[in-house]
Amino acid sequence: MKTAKKFFSLEGIDGSGKSTQIDMLVRVLESEGHKVVRLREPGGAKISERIRELLLDPAFKGIMADDTELLLYNAARAQVIHEIIKPALDAGNIVIADRFAWSTFAYQGYARGLGADKVQRLTELTCGGCFPELTVVLDLTVEASRKRMAIRGGAPDRLESEKAEFFERVREGYLAAGRDYSDCVSVVNADRTPDEVHQDVLSLIKAKLK
């Protein structure tokens, strides 16, 4: 995939601390004078947010076909690239996404068993040259993830309600991405304090901004 400069994403299973790390990262980058655009996936644009509602609605658990799920994620991604990401990058801004295409590799390609080849072909069509130059995977065991999610509380969405075995496969997918695509995917141990994780994430991002 052709990557885009100043485009970064954070990945990981639920509870890995993506939102916290993005908050910390954006504060530092903005304090240094950078203009930062942040977004979540799926979502970030109005059409993408409507698709997000469909994807995460628990009412569709057991009904939505795996291929439908794959196509909807990429439809939401295509819209946010067109409407927000590409214009921001063209303006010279930094873009930081809470999840992006590696989520599809891990969740649909690996955990759903749709295969890396199908996901890659669709990703190339969807993203074109708008692919993160660096993705940081916040790695956490499924057991630790479940403990954090229990503390967080709230009703699980359609994806969060999957069984532990599903998330084990998701984690395997992320680790495989870090192993096989180390030029653009870095894995960071998320089972530490937020400050410790932040130092690693910040160091990786700043190395790309030099």
Side-chain angles (χ1 to χ4, degrees):
M1 292 294 297
K2 182 180 177 182
T3 59
K5 291 291 186 180
K6 293 189 174 183
F7 183 16
F8 307 102
S9 64
L10 269 68
E11 297 276 5
I13 60 177
D14 294 316
S16 58
K18 296 182 301 300
S19 297
T20 297
Q21 291 304 318
I22 290 175
D23 286 343
M24 298 172 78
L25 181 60
V26 169
R27 280 198 298 271
V28 171
L29 294 176
E30 289 183 338
S31 73
E32 295 178 349
H34 295 285
K35 176 71 180 295
V36 182
V37 174
R38 62 178 294 179
L39 57 97
R40 67 176 182 176
E41 253 230 343
K46 286 185 178 180
I47 292 173
S48 305
E49 290 289 339
R50 290 290 294 274
I51 296 173
R52 179 187 179 91
E53 292 173 9
L54 289 172
L55 282 163
L56 301 185
D57 191 337
F60 298 128
K61 184 173 175 59
I63 299 174
M64 186 178 292
D66 292 346
D67 281 336
T68 302
E69 181 180 87
L70 174 65
L71 291 166
L72 284 173
Y73 272 109
N74 278 276
R77 185 167 301 136
Q79 182 64 31
V80 78
I81 288 172
H82 168 75
E83 189 174 336
I84 295 177
I85 296 174
K86 193 172 187 307
L89 294 174
D90 287 345
N93 301 324
I94 294 173
V95 176
I96 299 177
D98 183 341
R99 297 193 185 281
F100 200 68
W102 287 112
S103 280
T104 304
F105 175 83
Y107 279 78
Q108 284 73 51
Y110 238 80
R112 296 289 191 213
L114 295 180
D117 289 344
K118 177 187 283 190
V119 170
Q120 183 174 351
R121 289 197 303 271
L122 191 53
T123 298
E124 289 174 350
L125 176 64
T126 301
C127 298
C130 239
F131 197 79
E133 68 166 318
L134 177 66
T135 292
V136 180
V137 173
L138 303 178
D139 181 47
L140 192 69
T141 66
V142 173
E143 181 181 4
S145 165
R146 299 229 149 180
K147 288 179 180 177
R148 290 186 182 184
M149 294 300 288
I151 293 171
R152 182 186 301 178
D157 62 36
R158 189 180 66 89
L159 269 295
E160 291 170 345
S161 63
E162 291 286 352
K163 295 181 179 179
E165 292 82 2
F166 176 84
F167 292 104
E168 293 287 0
R169 294 194 297 274
V170 172
R171 185 185 181 211
E172 289 172 12
Y174 279 132
L175 294 176
R179 182 177 61 249
D180 298 339
Y181 299 90
S182 58
D183 57 325
C184 61
V185 181
S186 294
V187 178
V188 169
N189 176 16
D191 196 12
R192 298 176 293 162
T193 68
D195 285 337
E196 289 172 327
V197 176
H198 170 67
Q199 292 304 314
D200 283 352
V201 174
L202 183 62
S203 176
L204 288 165
I205 299 295
K206 283 195 169 185
K208 292 293 184 178
L209 292 173
K210 288 181 179 178

